[in-house]
Each structure stands twice: as structure tokens, then as C-alpha cells.
Amino acid sequence: MIKACIFDLDGVIVDTAHYHYLAWKRLAQELNIDLTEEINERLKGVSRMHSLEIILGLGGISLSQHEKENLANKKNSWFVDYLERMAPEEIFPGVKQLIKDLRQSGIKVGLASSSKNAKTVIQLLHIQNEFDTVVDGTMITHSKPHPEIFLLAAERLGVLPQECLVFEDAEAGVEAAIAAGMKCVGVGSPEQLGKANKVITTTGDFRIAGLRELERN
Ligand code: BG6
Ligand code: MG
């Protein structure tokens, strides 16, 4: 029985995944590296430093820890600039209603994002009080595809991993949910997220009936 739903943030609740991409692309351009949307899929769900390492790997560039930290900070400052211009209306349609419906049905709702900016984003969207727990990039050692973030969210929600359903737009996130022993709804394309138990185009499309269906499979 599913007792809790755990949502990723970037690309699931709001299109901040696009802001991450724009900021990484700008940094990659400065390094003369072509960051395509296809390669960007590999950056989704993973930590800031790991994302930078993937980009540097593309260009065969090796840097000191200090230089890498400078570049990661630069990217983050551009990302934060985008956030400052983000309006609460940018939350994906139907997400607030879905969270409300889940909670009214007695389902616990958690947020599990690898981002260290997650708390800022949910405050900007005015949804910081809609979750029973929030786990972000400041609270974990291993980022997705490691299951740590989802296991911590389940523990804080007081439920077992097998009682959780995760919503994820990143391949690394789907893998993390599966590794945690949870069911997973992929938000995006079936080609990218085929390992998920079900794939939907946008989070707001999900209905409670779908949850009962996933319990049976
Ligand atoms: C994830 C995003 O949610 O957070 C990644 O999918 C991002 O693209 C990661 O790199 C870390 O985010 P931040 O805000 O801590 O740099
Ligand atoms: Mg995401």
C-alpha cells in the first residue's frame, strides 16, 4: 500500500531544470564546450559538483578543487539570478491540487531534491508548508542515483521504502527510487525514463486513481 508520495523538485514541480540547463550551458560556452540538451539529461538529479565534473569530462579539462569550486559558484550565481525573476505562477499546472488531494486522502507528501537551493525555490513558490518533510542537497552525502535522499525522506515521513511512490524527471532519480525499493512515476519521455513504473508527460496529469493502480502492479 502506498502511504507517501515523494516529489523531486526541479523539472517535477517547476521548470527550474531549464534554468539549471541555461546556467550550465553558459558556463560550458565559456569553456568552449558544447552542452546539448541530450547531454544535459545526464546532469539532471546529480549534485552541482558532479554536474560540473561531467561537463569538464566532455572537454577533457582537469582543474584543481579550488578552480572547480569557483566555476560551480559562478554557475550557481547565474541560477540564483534566474530564480530571482521566477514567479510563483511558474509552478506546473495541477501540482498544488495534486498535493492537496494526496494529503486529503491521508497520503504523506515529501520533497527530495539534490539541490541546495530547494528551500529557496519552494519559498518563492509559496509551497514550503505543503510538505510533511523536505530533504535537500545540504542533507545528503551521495546524490542520485544513490538511494540515500529517498531513504532519508521515507524515514522522516515514518513510512517504509516500499510504501513510497516517487515522482522524478531525471534518469538518475528514477534509478535512485528503484534502488531505494520504491515505486516511481517518471515525468517526461518514456525513452529517457523507461525504468519507471509509469511515465506521464506532466506531474499535474497524475490522479489518485493512478496511485491505486500502481499498488496493484
Ligand atoms: C537537481 C537538479 O535537482 O539539483 C540538478 O536536477 C542540479 O540539475 C542539482 O545540479 C543541484 O542543484 P544546486 O541548486 O544545489 O546546484
Ligand atoms: Mg529533477
Side-chain angles (χ1 to χ4, degrees), residues 9 32 42 44-45 55 61 72 79 93 99 108-109 127 141 146 170 187 192 213 215:
L9 175 64
N32 283 319
R42 287 164 51 199
K44 289 186 180 173
I55 292 172
I61 301 173
F79 177 71
I99 293 176
K108 293 203 170 146
V109 177
I127 53 167
T141 313
H146 194 284
V187 181
Q192 206 75 46
E213 207 175 284
E215 278 174 347

Side-chain angles (χ1 to χ4, degrees), residues 50-70:
H50 188 181
S51 299
L52 175 64
E53 278 159 2
I54 293 173
I55 292 172
L56 293 175
L58 292 172
I61 301 173
S62 79
L63 297 174
S64 69
Q65 189 60 26
H66 179 67
E67 288 168 317
K68 285 198 274 187
E69 269 158 25
N70 283 343

Side-chain angles (χ1 to χ4, degrees), residues 95-196:
V95 170
K96 270 193 190 165
Q97 190 60 47
L98 172 61
I99 293 176
K100 205 170 150 197
D101 291 348
L102 289 168
R103 295 188 77 183
Q104 271 175 1
S105 312
I107 308 282
K108 293 203 170 146
V109 177
L111 185 88
S113 167
S114 305
S115 173
K116 292 182 176 160
N117 293 294
K119 286 193 176 135
T120 307
V121 173
I122 59 173
Q123 272 164 17
L124 288 167
L125 297 174
H126 307 316
I127 53 167
Q128 70 271 32
N129 299 322
E130 309 296 319
F131 300 96
D132 296 297
T133 194
V134 172
V135 183
D136 68 18
T138 66
M139 299 157 74
I140 50 163
T141 313
H142 310 284
S143 72
K144 301 166 188 174
H146 194 284
E148 180 184 6
I149 196 162
F150 292 129
L151 294 173
L152 181 59
E155 190 187 314
R156 289 168 61 109
L157 289 169
V159 295
L160 297 170
Q162 59 268 33
E163 294 169 334
C164 297
L165 175 65
V166 169
F167 289 78
E168 258 297 345
D169 70 314
E171 199 175 351
V174 172
E175 286 171 4
I178 294 168
M182 301 178 180
K183 292 240 163 102
C184 185
V185 171
V187 181
S189 78
E191 295 81 54
Q192 206 75 46
L193 307 172
K195 291 180 194 152

